[in-house]
């Protein structure tokens, strides 16, 4: 054998050794690679359940009507109701304040005297006119007689039986009588004008009586409604001037609350109930018609104490406030509560005091089926998009964008994005890597 042929054996042995070594390293790499570990997370499987949607706003209680006693006359307060203290309740028709009426009684008496004088003047004018008419009848008969006498004397003068002086005297007598008749006729012609003057004077006197009578009535200030005294600024013996604000009464039969709601929350509420945003429901309508549309939805309105939630007052929608808050953009809705000033012995509910800060809740008239998730399962990305983490069919982490509706306690309604059977991750996966393996634990 040629020794040169043996030279090829060492390279072959080296190649075989290198190949064996490479396979050994691959097996070692496979044996040393870590297995993928699943992250344990709490999940809840979503399902549509019956739910009564509601939306909450906040506001302060105020009287539905307020009345202020503004003095319309001046004088000394001779009587002040002893119950006129802030917080006390007065009944409709109660005498509150009496102002010294003597000056106004005198003014009324003067006005009545002036009226009687005007009536007497009018009766005198009627009597004078009647007498003048009778006198005119007589004077006209005399005038007719003198006219006949004048004509007779004129005929005698033509025949030469009397002197010219006799006819002249008859002429002067006739003219004098005609003047008397003319004066009486002129006097009667002035009677309608004089009557109008006297009637105007009488009407003025009657107006003065009415004014004096009203001023006399204004000396007694009577409660026009049953309510609670909220302000008192008059005392017994104090001189009151016209225009002084003496006291203020707030009605206790009805209270109003101007509740402010977040626009987005309110829109989500209406979208959940009716499939439309509030602006879409009332588009093209004026404020009154828009309110009638909302009022026709028969929402359940309740007022809740922020101190003790078990104190509840039924309420009703009244109107929109007509403007949004300049700072928060909140939408105002006014609701009314009947008989808020009286406690309820059955529920031991106290009166609803004006100025109290309360919660106003609008609820759907009937429960509806909806998907809800825990509020801490909802997340928001930097762009403001709401989303949730899901455990997909392979138990891997996934993201799903959602549209949310109103909040109900520790849960939030999902309007779109989830279907029944989806497994929502409730806990916070750290780190959150999409596609990572999960070990779902039912919540």
């Amino acid at each position: 054998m040629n020794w040169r042929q043996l030279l090829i054996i060492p390279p072959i042995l080296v190649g075989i050794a290198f190949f064996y070594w490479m396979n050994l390293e691959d097996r070692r790499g496979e044996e040393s690679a870590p297995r993928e570990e699943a992250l344990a997370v709490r999940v809840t499987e979503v399902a549509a359940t019956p739910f009564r949607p509601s939306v909450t706003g906040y506001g302060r209680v105020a009287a539905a009507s307020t009345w202020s006693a503004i003095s319309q006359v001046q004088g000394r307060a001779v009587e002040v109701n002893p119950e006129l203290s802030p917080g006390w309740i007065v009944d409709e028709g109660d005498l509150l304040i009496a102002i010294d009426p003597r000056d106004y009684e005198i003014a009324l008496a003067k006005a009545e005297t002036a009226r009687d004088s005007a009536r007497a003047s009018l009766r005198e004018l009627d009597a004078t006119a009647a007498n003048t008419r009778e006198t005119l009848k007589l004077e006209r008969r005399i005038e007719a007689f003198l006219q006949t006498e004048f004509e007779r004397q004129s005929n005698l003068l033509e025949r030469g039986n009397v002197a010219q002086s006799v006819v002249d005297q008859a002429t002067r007598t006739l003219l004098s009588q005609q003047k008397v008749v003319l004066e009486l006729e002129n006097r009667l012609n002035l009677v309608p004008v004089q009557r109008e003057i006297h009637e105007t004077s009488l009407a003025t006197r009657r107006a003065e009586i009415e004014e004096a009578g009203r001023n006399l009535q204004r000396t007694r200030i009577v409660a026009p409604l049953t309510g609670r005294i909220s302000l008192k600024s008059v005392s017994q013996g104090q001189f009151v001037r016209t225009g002084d604000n003496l006291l203020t009464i707030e009605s206790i039969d009805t209270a109003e609350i101007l509740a402010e709601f977040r626009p987005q929350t309110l829109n989500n509420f209406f979208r959940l109930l009716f499939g439309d945003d509030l602006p879409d429901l009332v588009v093209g309508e004026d404020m009154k018609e828009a309110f009638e549309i909302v009022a026709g939805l028969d929402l359940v309105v309740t007022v809740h104490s922020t101190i003790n939630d078990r104190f509840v007052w039924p309420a009703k929608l009244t109107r929109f406030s007509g403007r949004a808050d300049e700072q928060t953009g909140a939408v105002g809705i006014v609701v009314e509560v009947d008989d808020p000033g009286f406690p309820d012995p059955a529920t031991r509910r106290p009166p609803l005091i004006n100025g109290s800060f309360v919660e106003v809740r609008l609820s759907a008239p009937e429960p509806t089926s909806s998907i809800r998730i825990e509020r801490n399962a909802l997340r928001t990305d930097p762009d403001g998009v709401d989303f949730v983490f899901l455990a997909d069919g392979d138990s891997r982490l996934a993201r799903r964008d959602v549209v949310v509706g109103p909040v109900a306690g520790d849960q939030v309604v999902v309007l779109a994005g989830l279907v029944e059977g989806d497994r929502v991750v409730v806990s916070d996966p750290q780190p959150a890597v999409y596609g990572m393996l999960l070990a779902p634990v039912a919540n």
Side-chain angles (χ1 to χ4, degrees):
M1 177 180 293
N2 189 346
W3 65 269
R4 293 180 180 276
Q5 294 178 344
L6 296 176
L7 293 178
I8 195 173
I9 295 175
I12 292 174
L13 294 176
V14 171
I16 293 172
F18 180 77
F19 180 77
Y20 177 78
W21 178 81
M22 288 296 295
N23 288 338
L24 181 62
E25 287 297 318
D26 288 342
R27 288 196 297 270
R28 288 176 180 176
E30 291 176 358
E31 293 175 357
S32 62
R35 299 179 59 185
E36 182 179 13
E37 295 184 4
L39 179 65
V41 292
R42 291 186 300 112
V43 298
T44 181
E45 185 173 327
V46 298
T49 56
F51 163 66
R52 174 170 285 183
S54 65
V55 63
T56 300
Y58 296 90
R60 293 197 178 274
V61 181
S65 58
T66 301
W67 177 79
S68 295
I70 307 297
S71 178
Q72 295 178 282
V73 295
Q74 66 178 18
R76 195 167 304 280
V78 295
E79 184 178 351
V80 177
N81 192 319
E83 294 186 352
L84 291 190
S85 299
W88 282 92
I89 295 178
V90 295
D91 294 325
E92 181 180 356
D94 285 353
L95 176 64
L96 305 177
I97 302 167
I99 299 173
D100 187 358
R102 187 56 188 157
D103 291 342
Y104 303 99
E105 291 172 345
I106 293 173
L108 178 59
K110 288 181 177 179
E112 290 175 342
T113 301
R115 176 203 58 192
D116 294 341
S117 177
R119 284 177 175 173
S121 297
L122 192 57
R123 289 195 298 270
E124 180 183 20
L125 176 63
D126 292 339
T128 300
N131 293 336
T132 301
R133 281 190 288 271
E134 293 300 323
T135 302
L136 179 59
K137 291 180 181 179
L138 179 60
E139 295 297 335
R140 282 176 174 169
R141 290 177 61 187
I142 296 174
E143 179 187 11
F145 173 77
L146 293 177
Q147 179 68 34
T148 302
E149 180 62 20
F150 168 74
E151 293 173 356
R152 188 176 70 81
Q153 295 296 336
S154 297
N155 292 331
L156 292 175
L157 178 62
E158 291 176 359
R159 291 196 297 267
N161 294 333
V162 295
Q164 181 65 43
S165 59
V166 175
V167 176
D168 293 340
Q169 180 62 36
T171 301
R172 286 193 294 270
T173 302
L174 177 61
L175 291 175
S176 177
Q177 183 61 28
Q178 288 176 342
K179 180 181 179 182
V180 171
V181 171
L182 182 61
E183 289 177 350
L184 291 175
E185 289 175 344
N186 290 338
R187 195 179 301 172
L188 287 176
N189 290 335
L190 291 175
V191 168
V193 178
Q194 293 173 339
R195 167 173 282 280
E196 185 176 349
I197 293 173
H198 285 297
E199 287 177 346
T200 302
S201 177
L202 180 59
T204 302
R205 302 291 86 80
R206 287 171 174 164
E208 291 173 349
I209 290 174
E210 182 180 358
E211 180 182 13
R214 287 168 60 87
N215 287 335
L216 183 59
Q217 291 177 353
R218 290 165 179 164
T219 60
R220 295 175 61 84
I221 300 176
V222 177
L225 51 83
T226 298
R228 180 177 286 107
I229 302 295
S230 62
L231 172 68
K232 175 196 171 186
S233 58
V234 62
S235 302
Q236 185 88 16
Q238 177 182 338
F239 186 82
V240 175
R241 295 177 176 82
T242 303
D244 286 352
N245 187 358
L246 307 181
L247 57 89
T248 300
I249 300 177
E250 296 178 342
S251 64
I252 59 175
D253 58 343
T254 307
E256 281 189 348
I257 300 106
L258 173 56
E260 294 187 339
F261 296 83
R262 292 178 54 196
Q264 187 59 45
T265 304
L266 201 60
N267 283 339
N268 289 342
F269 172 70
F270 282 101
R271 186 187 302 131
L272 176 62
L273 287 182
F274 313 104
D276 285 314
D277 290 345
L278 179 60
D280 294 335
L281 285 173
V282 300
V283 64
E285 309 289 350
D286 61 26
M287 189 62 65
K288 181 179 179 181
E289 292 174 339
F291 174 77
E292 290 176 351
I293 292 175
V294 174
L297 303 178
D298 294 329
L299 301 178
V300 178
V301 186
T302 51
V303 175
H304 300 255
S305 170
T306 55
I307 299 175
N308 190 333
D309 192 63
R310 71 185 182 89
F311 295 145
V312 181
W313 292 264
K316 60 183 178 181
L317 293 173
T318 302
R319 63 185 182 279
F320 291 136
S321 66
R323 61 180 301 174
D325 187 276
E326 296 179 356
Q327 296 181 345
T328 64
V331 177
I333 298 178
V334 180
V335 302
E336 278 190 357
V337 177
D338 292 332
D339 298 325
F342 300 97
D344 185 358
T347 60
R348 305 186 66 181
R349 186 188 66 193
L352 188 60
I353 304 300
N354 291 338
S356 301
F357 189 70
V358 294
E359 172 188 299
V360 176
R361 193 174 300 168
L362 307 181
S363 304
E366 298 293 339
T368 183
S369 181
S370 61
I371 292 177
R372 289 173 291 161
I373 61 173
E374 295 184 18
R375 293 179 64 179
N376 56 8
L378 181 67
R379 294 165 174 82
T380 305
D381 65 16
D383 295 329
V385 178
D386 295 323
F387 71 95
V388 295
F389 288 132
L390 294 180
D392 64 13
D394 296 328
S395 293
R396 293 189 177 275
L397 186 67
R399 166 178 165 156
R400 183 78 59 77
D401 293 343
V402 295
V403 177
V404 297
V407 175
D410 61 349
Q411 294 187 321
V412 60
V413 176
V414 177
L415 302 177
L418 293 178
V419 295
E420 293 193 54
D422 284 339
R423 293 183 297 171
V424 175
V425 177
V426 178
S427 58
D428 192 11
Q430 291 293 338
V433 179
Y434 296 134
M436 64 187 297
L437 185 63
L438 302 177
V441 177
N443 189 31

